[in-house]
């Protein structure tokens, strides 16, 4: 009989830090596809490259895995409102899960710096939205302050319930492959997801399911790359607004994950991100938001710099759906607008424009 996916809390109840009897607020998150990206494997000379397509979650990003946990536990503790700072996806997710739970949500976003699709989601799910005159890092300080002093429950990834839920991404990878990849590559902002996957893989190893941990490779945008420069960045800048974060909340967890896994951090330019964003759409068939292409762009950069990936099995988490920030698909490599051609209803004319000759 076909199995209907029930969301990460029901699927992984025994492996998550949640009590029996706690309410479960779910939208059916998790169970996302692991797509064989042959074209990308060919490009970087690896044996296999898979994309963990997190855009397939209910609100279109990986945040839902953590949000089902954070909001369920908030409700279990009697919270009537949740709050988060966000570059967009966390706010969309928090707003949706709060709506499902029947509680209020407050989201703090950096003014003018979140993608329209994500703002629309927060509005649609009836969040109280505050555009803060500052960047994401300022929003997070403000969110923590408000949560500490007012009756609003913080659901950013500084809340360990978020990391706990997000670790299920690693469980799914291992279940699907039957082994741990050699490398797991992710885009990095606050480094919550990077740390969460590492936690998931470690638990799989402790359970004896896998023998070795994948090396964790995390990539940031060059203008917003505190892990590469070695300290927080005051004025982070990148077109990849989701990861426009200068002071990663999970700094220490991420350093531990990097060291213990023999992994690395790196940075790629906005141009490299947009190139990979287009490659994934055109050659793999997976449409992601620009930020989500950062991991794959980092892998390609490593290959170009001489990294030998022969024989390697690699998983890359692509974190958010392309429809959230769709304007980037409508520009060519030089930044010119792409518009479909306008044609008449005459088949011969349309065929000619398409370059088709009669069969
Ligand atoms: C598509 O929504 O921080 O390293 O406030 O939306 O765990 O922060 C989003 C982050 C990668 C980075 N890809 O993950 C937010 C927020 C996408 C994202 C990241 C984010 P972390």
């Amino acid at each position: 009989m076909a199995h209907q996916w029930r969301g990460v809390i029901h699927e992984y109840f025994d492996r998550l830090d949640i009590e029996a009897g706690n309410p479960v607020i779910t939208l059916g998150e998790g169970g996302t596809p692991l797509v064989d990206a042959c074209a990308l494997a060919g490009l970087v000379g690896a044996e296999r490259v898979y994309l963990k397509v997190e855009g397939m979650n209910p609100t279109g990003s990986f945040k839902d895995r953590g949000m089902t946990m954070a909001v369920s536990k908030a409700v279990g503790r009697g919270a009537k409102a949740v709050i988060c700072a966000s570059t967009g996806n966390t706010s969309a997710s928090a707003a949706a899960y709060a709506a499902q739970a029947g509680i209020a949500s407050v989201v703090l976003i950096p003014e003018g710096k979140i993608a329209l699709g994500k703002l629309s989601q927060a509005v649609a799910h009836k969040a109280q939205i505050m555009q803060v005159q500052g960047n994401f890092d300022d929003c997070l300080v403000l969110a923590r302050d408000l949560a500490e002093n007012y009756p609003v429950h913080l659901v950013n990834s500084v809340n360990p319930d978020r990391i706990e839920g997000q670790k299920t991404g690693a469980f799914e990878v291992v279940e699907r492959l039957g082994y741990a990849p050699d490398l797991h590559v992710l885009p990095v902002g606050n480094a919550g997801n990077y740390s969460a996957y590492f936690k998931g893989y470690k638990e799989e190893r402790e359970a004896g399911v896998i023998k070795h941990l994948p090396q964790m490779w995390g990539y940031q945008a060059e203008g917003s790359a505190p892990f590469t420069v070695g300290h927080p960045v005051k004025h982070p800048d990148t077109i990849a607004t989701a990861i426009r974060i200068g002071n990663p909340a999970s700094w220490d967890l991420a350093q531990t994950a990097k060291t213990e896994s023999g992994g690395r951090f790196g940075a790629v330019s906005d141009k490299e991100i947009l190139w990979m964003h287009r490659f994934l759409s055109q050659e793999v068939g997976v449409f992601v938001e620009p930020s989500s292409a950062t991991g794959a762009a980092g892998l390609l950069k490593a290959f170009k710099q001489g990294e030998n990936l022969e024989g390697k099995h690699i998983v890359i988490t692509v974190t958010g759906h392309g429809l959230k920030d769709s304007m980037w698909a409508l520009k060519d490599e030089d930044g010119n607008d792409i518009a479909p051609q306008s044609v008449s209803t005459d088949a011969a004319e349309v065929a000619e424009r398409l370059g088709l000759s009669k069969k």
Side-chain angles (χ1 to χ4, degrees), residues 62-63 86-90 189-193 242-243 245 289 292 319:
F62 70 98
K63 304 288 183 185
S86 181
T87 58
N89 281 325
T90 300
N190 277 304
N193 211 29
I243 53 171
I245 293 167
E289 59 171 292
S292 300
T319 42

Side-chain angles (χ1 to χ4, degrees), residues 60-63 84-92 118 136 156-157 162-163 166 187-195 241-243 245 289 291-292 318-321 324:
S61 87
F62 70 98
K63 304 288 183 185
C84 66
S86 181
T87 58
N89 281 325
T90 300
S91 64
K118 303 173 190 178
F136 169 83
N156 277 107
S157 59
R162 283 276 313 282
I163 308 277
Q166 285 172 215
V188 167
N190 277 304
N193 211 29
Y194 179 92
S195 308
T241 52
I243 53 171
I245 293 167
E289 59 171 292
S291 311
S292 300
V318 288
T319 42
H321 204 288
K324 284 174 172 278

